[in-house]
Amino acid sequence: MLTLKSKREIEGMAHSGAILAAAHQMLKPKLYVGMDTWEIEQLIDNFIQAHDATASEKGVDGYKYATCISINEEVAHATPRKGLKLKNHDVVKVDFCVNWHGYQSDSAWTYVVGESTPEIDHLMQVAHTALYLGIKQAQPGNRVGDIGAAIQDYVENQNHMGDVRELIGHGIGPSVHEDPEIYHYGVAHHGLRLRPGMVITIEPMINAGGDWGLETKVVPETGWEYYVSADHSLSAQYEHTLAITEDGPKILTSQDPIGDQEFLLKKA
């Protein structure tokens, strides 16, 4: 069901999003070569709880963790795994949701552990830029296809990378996943029209090798399914939760108050 959010609801989701963004900012300087992915899980879960909120992913479809942690060719939905140590040059995607008093937010971010490389820098730059090209199209009166077309053109035509099709953005609040479905590919001027009051996620997943396809893998200990790039190339993802308003798209999970200034809610 597609629901339109009130100003009060959007402000509550912005508070949730601020907690989520702060958790990402807390995490970034703590990543190090040799770090166990379970330590990331604990850091994020403890941070969320310390801010009077809960990790929304716990319990969704039987999921047991606060975070999804996907490394290198892992595209999405991989779990934190005890004993899995981060290595130099690892590309790490950390994705999680926050529930603050019923108000939801969702954001993923990509990090490089230790030293980067030109290939990694370029992949991360393309994925981050693709997110913001999509956000710029999330104007009231535009259509979902405008978001996807902008992302697809930049990723595939301009940078010859793989724009993942099978995993998409979504509406959010009060449930974590709601209508509408937000595709990161498509045809401009087609699809559902965006309306003020919608709150959505845009979360492009970009494979460096040019193949947008996925393979399904399984965590042996738990049977949990996750996804890797079909060509086993590195993958990056960035995700924001944003509200569609009369004044345009407003990011609710911003980590950059200066760079995101045009996309921030006006303070009352």
Side-chain angles (χ1 to χ4, degrees):
M1 179 183 297
L2 193 158
T3 62
L4 299 180
K5 308 318 188 277
S6 67
K7 180 180 178 181
R8 175 186 59 81
E9 289 173 311
I10 290 172
E11 289 173 347
M13 295 177 78
H15 187 94
S16 173
I19 295 170
L20 195 160
H24 274 298
Q25 291 174 313
M26 173 276 298
L27 176 65
K28 184 175 181 178
K30 295 183 182 294
L31 296 171
Y32 62 93
V33 175
M35 186 180 196
D36 195 302
T37 59
W38 189 248
E39 185 179 347
I40 298 174
E41 165 74 8
Q42 291 179 309
L43 283 169
I44 295 296
D45 198 15
N46 291 340
F47 186 94
I48 293 170
Q49 292 182 51
H51 288 78
D52 191 29
T54 57
S56 307
E57 291 288 357
K58 287 186 178 181
V60 175
D61 296 328
Y63 198 68
K64 299 178 181 179
Y65 311 105
T67 62
C68 291
I69 302 173
S70 306
I71 302 172
N72 295 331
E73 74 276 9
E74 296 171 353
V75 176
H77 297 179
T79 69
R81 286 149 281 179
K82 291 181 180 179
L84 179 59
K85 307 291 187 181
L86 300 181
K87 304 183 299 297
N88 194 36
H89 306 312
D90 272 350
V91 177
V92 182
K93 286 76 68 177
V94 182
D95 184 7
F96 57 96
C97 304
V98 168
N99 180 339
W100 177 76
H101 297 269
Y103 298 107
Q104 301 280 1
S105 58
D106 186 1
S107 179
W109 219 250
T110 298
Y111 305 95
V112 60
V113 178
E115 301 168 314
S116 189
T117 67
E119 177 191 13
I120 292 170
D121 288 343
H122 182 51
L123 171 64
M124 292 172 65
Q125 176 266 315
V126 169
H128 188 268
T129 300
L131 168 63
Y132 277 82
L133 289 173
I135 291 171
K136 288 178 180 178
Q137 291 298 319
Q139 304 287 342
N142 276 4
R143 295 182 180 273
V144 169
D146 295 314
I147 296 173
I151 292 171
Q152 184 179 11
D153 177 67
Y154 178 72
V155 172
E156 295 186 347
N157 297 334
Q158 298 182 43
N159 287 281
H160 311 292
M161 293 185 180
D163 179 18
V164 170
R165 307 280 204 276
E166 297 175 52
L167 303 173
I168 61 177
H170 51 86
I172 183 170
S175 300
V176 173
H177 296 106
E178 297 185 353
D179 290 333
E181 295 181 331
I182 305 297
Y183 296 90
H184 305 113
Y185 64 97
V187 179
H189 315 307
H190 286 67
L192 181 73
R193 192 176 298 278
L194 300 172
R195 299 168 55 191
M198 290 181 178
V199 180
I200 63 173
T201 72
I202 300 177
E203 46 184 299
M205 286 147 270
I206 311 304
N207 297 340
D211 187 342
W212 54 260
L214 302 179
E215 291 183 4
T216 302
K217 298 287 185 179
V218 176
V219 179
E221 296 80 6
T222 64
W224 183 260
E225 292 186 347
Y226 63 100
Y227 303 97
V228 302
S229 57
D231 59 7
H232 298 279
S233 64
L234 295 175
S235 187
Q237 178 192 18
Y238 292 91
E239 172 188 15
H240 274 314
T241 297
L242 57 141
I244 312 300
T245 77
E246 296 284 358
D247 296 324
K250 301 300 178 183
I251 297 171
L252 307 184
T253 50
S254 172
Q255 299 182 45
D256 183 3
I258 296 176
D260 290 343
Q261 189 170 10
E262 67 176 298
F263 300 120
L264 298 182
L265 288 171
K266 295 178 181 178
K267 294 183 179 180

